[in-house]
Amino acid sequence: MQLKRFPHYKQLNATDCGPTSLRMITKYYGLNLNFRLICSDNASCKANYL
């Protein structure tokens, strides 16, 4: 059985582990979310990027 390759995205800074992990997981399952969309529901992320 061959495993599907897991996507990799780099964090923009040390506090981006949550949104970056969520982006990789959703990409693996076929949903392509951009970082801004993920950050729109995250208060600490909003403070840094939006």
Side-chain angles (χ1 to χ4, degrees):
M1 178 173 136
Q2 187 173 359
L3 295 176
K4 186 176 171 183
R5 290 184 58 97
F6 202 84
H8 180 262
Y9 295 103
K10 290 186 179 185
Q11 292 178 220
L12 299 177
N13 66 36
T15 62
D16 293 340
C17 55
T20 303
S21 298
L22 184 58
R23 186 175 179 207
M24 287 188 281
I25 293 166
T26 57
K27 177 69 175 181
Y28 179 81
Y29 287 104
L31 185 60
N32 194 12
L33 300 178
N34 67 26
F35 192 78
R36 282 189 166 297
L37 180 62
I38 294 169
C39 279
S40 67
D41 288 336
N42 182 321
S44 64
C45 193
K46 269 188 194 178
N48 291 325
Y49 298 105
L50 302 178

